[in-house]
Amino acid sequence: MTNYMQTALEAAAAASARGEVPVGAVVVGPDGAIVAQASNRVEELCDPTAHAEMLALRAATAQLGQERLTECDIYVTLEPCALCAAAISLFRIRRLYFGAYDSKGGAVEHGPRLFGQPTIMHRPEVYGGIQEVESATLLRDFFNKLRET
């Protein structure tokens, strides 16, 4: 588990170096191999939906040639927002592991708590706080640096 989150953290650091909000995501297949990984590309692609999770999920379905990821897990450095939580449900991800909690924009443990809604079609197993300190530090440092400029 930690190796996958470490890979997500490396992707997040790469996003930060490009001036993107440092969020990384890794999709792991049923055999334990990494199927796809991505980091935020909102600024680069001029696309407000180019979140790490969205890009990794799309890449994983393309790689596997299927529209659902029922036997896959996703590791994300930040609690997913409503967009990404809904996508995780629609892609039928088996387990969600995330790093930092997001009291402002998160939609899993905060805000709408999407997976607790009776209308949600699929609820993955959720594990939060995985390498939380490292994930939160990356984000905090990024935003502190932005404020300095």
Side-chain angles (χ1 to χ4, degrees):
M1 172 171 29
T2 302
N3 289 338
Y4 302 129
M5 188 57 80
Q6 189 59 45
T7 302
L9 282 163
E10 290 165 9
S16 181
R18 294 190 316 271
E20 299 275 359
V21 174
V23 177
V26 172
V27 176
V28 178
D31 62 354
I34 293 175
V35 177
Q37 64 182 7
S39 57
N40 277 359
R41 295 193 177 275
V42 172
E43 302 294 327
E44 176 186 340
L45 300 176
C46 297
D47 178 355
T49 69
H51 293 190
E53 300 95 320
M54 298 297 292
L55 298 174
L57 290 166
R58 289 174 184 149
T61 57
Q63 177 70 24
L64 296 173
Q66 59 193 47
E67 66 182 68
R68 302 282 190 252
L69 301 170
T70 57
E71 296 181 23
C72 295
D73 302 332
I74 191 167
Y75 292 76
V76 187
T77 58
L78 181 65
E79 177 183 350
C81 67
L83 169 75
C84 295
I88 287 166
S89 175
L90 290 170
F91 279 87
R92 306 290 195 271
I93 286 289
R94 178 176 55 182
R95 292 183 202 100
L96 161 64
Y97 299 90
F98 69 87
Y101 290 86
D102 186 357
S103 61
K104 189 174 181 182
V108 176
E109 299 290 335
H110 295 89
R113 300 175 191 260
L114 219 61
F115 300 135
Q117 298 300 317
T119 55
I120 199 77
M121 297 185 79
H122 170 75
R123 292 171 182 81
E125 292 177 34
V126 176
Y127 304 92
I130 311 298
Q131 289 188 258
E132 179 180 6
V133 172
E134 297 94 322
S135 298
T137 299
L138 249 176
L139 287 158
R140 188 172 32 260
D141 290 351
F142 176 81
F143 286 111
N144 285 340
K145 188 174 180 180
L146 267 185
R147 286 184 197 100
E148 292 172 2
T149 57

